[in-house]
Amino acid sequence: MGKPLTTLLLFSCVLFSLCASSFAQTCKSYTGFSNNKLYSSCQDLPVLNSYLHWTYDQSSSQVDIAYRVTGTSSSRWISWALNPNGQGMVGAQALVAFQNSSGGMSAYTSPVSSYSISTLTEGPLSFAVSNLSATFENSNEMFIFATLTLDSGKTTVNQVWQEGPLNGNNPSSHNTASSSNNMRSTGTVNFLDATATTPSGVVIPRLRKKNIHGVLNAVSWGVLMPMGAVIARYLKVFKSADPAWFYLHVACQTSAYIVGVAGFATGIKLGSDSTAITYDTHRNIGIVLFCMGTLQVFALLLRPKKDHKYRLYWNIYHHSIGYAVIILSIVNVFEGFDILSPDGKWKKIYIGILIFLGVSAAILEAFTWFIVIKRKNTSSVKYPSHGNGLNGANGYGARTENGV
């Protein structure tokens, strides 16, 4: 048992470390906006050192955006645009910003009608824009802030972003070489699902990530863990199931732990993707569950033999942590339901599973007590008390001491 469990622990630690390290995204931890706003979603755009932050209000179809470019200078312009009816530059509804010759920031809207940079002139867009502003900070970062009012229900839109040199107070043409990053700065953004995709790859929607996180944790902590406890408590009563019940219990709990680690990692990813929105209760219970689950796995490595003097204390520890994990798991699954708000059928299905496990446990509890009492009665008949003061509770001690 020791070698497989050690391998399991190493695997879990490596998985967690890899997941945690891969989540260190540039835009996720950035909160230093000069407008003091926090945005619920963000995306590292694949080229031009660009990052898009936003908060979408579905009820009003408004999205607050912050477009950020690093590694730029005061002699360059930046632009971010949505193209509601096409792809690429033509038809794009652009926000443009640069530092003008007087040292102030110029920010304006520009509907792009052709591939000529001379068309990047000021004009109204096809959707309302308010609170438009721009800043140049730290001598190498430029920002555009704005509130956009989109058409109702139109949450997935093509996007374009650009940067280029200035000619006085006018934007000049950007690099047009076919292999340049300026020719690859297009994609789509889904404001509702917090998704951004590019022509070179597909990013999993945030809503789908939440669903994956929910399924992994509901199955592992919410179903497999209670099943493993039922196996351990009731199957071991049957002599024919020994030691099979133990291996079933270990297999069930370790499977739950591995899947649970994956679910925990997806939770960290979701949290890092949205620093402005936190679910403290759900997150804190998840951290406690991960720590307690890890302790349970380590406990298997330290499990004393049945006749060891510390076995009683180990059993108390193991059972206490185990039942606490099950209770917290169920509570946190329901916390997750409240956060995700899925179709009501999924919550009903999970409640049905819990009812099934609870009824099964109640029936098995009664049956195992019946077996235990029956065995005690059988043992009392087979080894009756002789009343000589030397026997144990069922007479077995007296018979042994008398050498019979």
Side-chain angles (χ1 to χ4, degrees), residues 170-185:
N170 298 303
S172 295
S173 179
H174 60 72
N175 190 341
T176 56
S178 60
S179 59
S180 69
N181 286 334
N182 295 82
M183 303 304 290
R184 298 191 293 116
S185 55

Side-chain angles (χ1 to χ4, degrees), residues 135-389:
T135 61
F136 182 60
E137 303 172 17
N138 305 318
S139 300
N140 65 353
E141 287 184 303
M142 202 171 293
F143 299 79
I144 298 177
F145 303 100
T147 300
L148 315 179
T149 302
L150 306 177
D151 292 339
S152 179
K154 194 173 183 65
T155 58
T156 301
V157 192
N158 295 317
Q159 64 173 334
V160 186
W161 60 100
Q162 274 300 347
E163 65 87 37
L166 282 173
N167 181 13
N169 285 332
N170 298 303
S172 295
S173 179
H174 60 72
N175 190 341
T176 56
S178 60
S179 59
S180 69
N181 286 334
N182 295 82
M183 303 304 290
R184 298 191 293 116
S185 55
T186 63
T188 63
V189 58
N190 187 322
F191 293 118
L192 181 61
D193 282 358
T195 309
T197 62
T198 67
S200 60
V202 178
V203 180
I204 298 177
R206 180 172 172 79
L207 183 59
R208 192 183 306 170
K209 292 178 183 177
K210 286 184 176 181
N211 290 336
I212 292 172
H213 170 72
V215 169
L216 288 175
N217 286 292
V219 170
S220 59
W221 302 105
V223 177
L224 289 177
M225 281 287 180
M227 283 181 60
V230 169
I231 289 171
R233 178 164 178 81
Y234 301 115
L235 287 189
K236 65 181 178 183
V237 175
F238 303 96
K239 294 181 179 180
S240 59
D242 192 14
W245 71 266
F246 175 74
Y247 295 110
L248 283 173
H249 172 66
V250 171
C252 194
Q253 301 300 76
T254 51
S255 298
Y257 179 72
I258 292 173
V259 178
V261 168
F264 180 71
T266 59
I268 293 177
K269 170 62 174 172
L270 288 167
S272 67
D273 282 350
S274 181
T275 56
I277 299 177
T278 59
Y279 302 99
D280 292 335
T281 302
H282 187 66
R283 178 192 62 189
N284 293 338
I285 293 177
I287 293 172
V288 171
L289 283 173
F290 174 75
C291 295
M292 294 175 75
T294 303
L295 286 175
Q296 285 290 73
V297 175
F298 273 109
L300 289 175
L301 296 173
L302 304 174
R303 180 172 175 259
K305 294 182 179 180
K306 291 182 179 180
D307 56 351
H308 196 280
K309 63 180 180 179
Y310 292 125
R311 180 57 180 265
L312 173 63
Y313 304 107
W314 184 90
N315 284 340
I316 294 172
Y317 157 81
H318 185 63
H319 294 162
S320 300
I321 297 293
Y323 288 124
V325 165
I326 291 172
I327 293 171
L328 288 175
S329 297
I330 294 172
V331 169
N332 220 26
V333 168
F334 282 106
E335 284 283 333
F337 277 125
D338 290 340
I339 293 169
L340 275 178
S341 298
D343 290 342
K345 64 179 182 180
W346 297 113
K347 192 171 185 178
K348 291 177 181 178
I349 288 173
Y350 182 65
I351 292 173
I353 292 172
L354 291 182
I355 291 174
F356 171 76
L357 289 174
V359 171
S360 300
I363 294 173
L364 289 170
E365 184 75 22
F367 186 64
T368 52
W369 273 107
F370 170 77
I371 292 176
V372 170
I373 293 172
K374 184 177 179 180
R375 284 177 182 169
K376 285 186 176 181
N377 292 337
T378 302
S379 178
S380 297
V381 171
K382 189 173 180 180
Y383 304 112
S385 173
H386 293 279
N388 59 9

